[in-house]
């Protein structure tokens, strides 16, 4: 996994695992790899993985079962909520950046519609 130096690594790991949950690569009830295995796979320190997983447990996205490991929550509603949170977070970031370029809401909407139309034409 390639990391962005501007964003904390544990946060990027959380987002990667969120993405896997939202896309169904990790399904509700799936067991996550062991902490040490995740650290090896992602070439990061074990403590970094533990921080990411600890926050995810606090958020209710994964559940820790003593002696068995960490599992994706069975709460489908929580995963749907997570998806909505991530979408809102991304939209907020883009919205702020575009407003910083002095675009009005109408300009942002028009630009987004134009972008989507162009993307659609590229994928035809």
């Amino acid at each position: 996994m390639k990391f962005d130096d501007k964003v904390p690594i544990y946060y990027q790991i959380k987002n990667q695992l969120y993405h896997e949950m939202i896309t169904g690569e990790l399904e509700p009830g799936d067991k996550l790899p062991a902490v040490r295995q995740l650290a090896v796979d992602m070439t990061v320190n074990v403590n970094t993985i533990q921080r990411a997983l600890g926050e995810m447990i606090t958020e209710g996205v994964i559940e820790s079962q003593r002696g068995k490991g960490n599992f994706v929550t069975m709460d489908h509603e929580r995963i749907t909520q997570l998806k909505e949170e991530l979408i809102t977070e991304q939209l907020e970031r883009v919205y702020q950046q575009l407003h910083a370029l002095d675009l009005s809401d109408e300009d942002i909407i028009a630009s987004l519609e134009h972008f989507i139309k162009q993307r659609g034409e590229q994928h035809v």
Side-chain angles (χ1 to χ4, degrees):
M1 182 172 174
K2 282 194 158 193
F3 295 104
D4 180 350
D5 293 340
K6 297 175 186 134
V7 180
I9 293 174
Y10 82 91
Y11 187 79
Q12 294 176 66
I13 291 168
K14 283 174 48 175
N15 281 333
Q16 174 63 33
L17 292 171
Y18 292 156
H19 176 78
E20 291 177 13
M21 290 176 198
I22 290 167
T23 61
E25 194 174 328
L26 280 173
E27 295 186 8
D30 279 357
K31 184 177 192 274
L32 297 177
V35 171
R36 290 188 192 282
Q37 186 60 51
L38 280 172
V40 169
D41 293 347
M42 296 186 176
T43 61
V44 297
N45 187 294
V46 171
N47 295 330
T48 305
I49 297 292
Q50 288 176 323
R51 180 171 182 185
L53 296 180
E55 287 194 11
M56 293 174 77
I57 290 167
T58 301
E59 295 166 358
V61 178
I62 62 173
E63 299 167 358
S64 180
Q65 295 181 11
R66 190 178 192 120
K68 293 183 179 179
N70 296 305
F71 296 82
V72 176
T73 182
M74 292 294 291
D75 185 352
H76 293 274
E77 206 170 288
R78 179 63 185 108
I79 293 174
T80 300
Q81 180 186 16
L82 173 65
K83 181 177 183 177
E84 291 169 5
E85 290 170 6
L86 294 176
I87 290 169
T88 300
E89 182 180 306
Q90 292 296 319
L91 289 173
E92 181 66 32
R93 185 175 300 128
V94 169
Y95 183 77
Q96 289 176 359
Q97 290 171 344
L98 293 175
H99 264 285
L101 295 174
D102 204 27
L103 272 80
S104 68
D105 288 352
E106 293 79 18
D107 292 338
I108 292 171
I109 291 168
S111 295
L112 183 58
E113 287 174 345
H114 178 73
F115 175 79
I116 291 170
K117 183 179 178 189
Q118 279 186 320
R119 296 275 301 173
E121 291 170 0
Q122 291 175 1
H123 295 288
V124 171

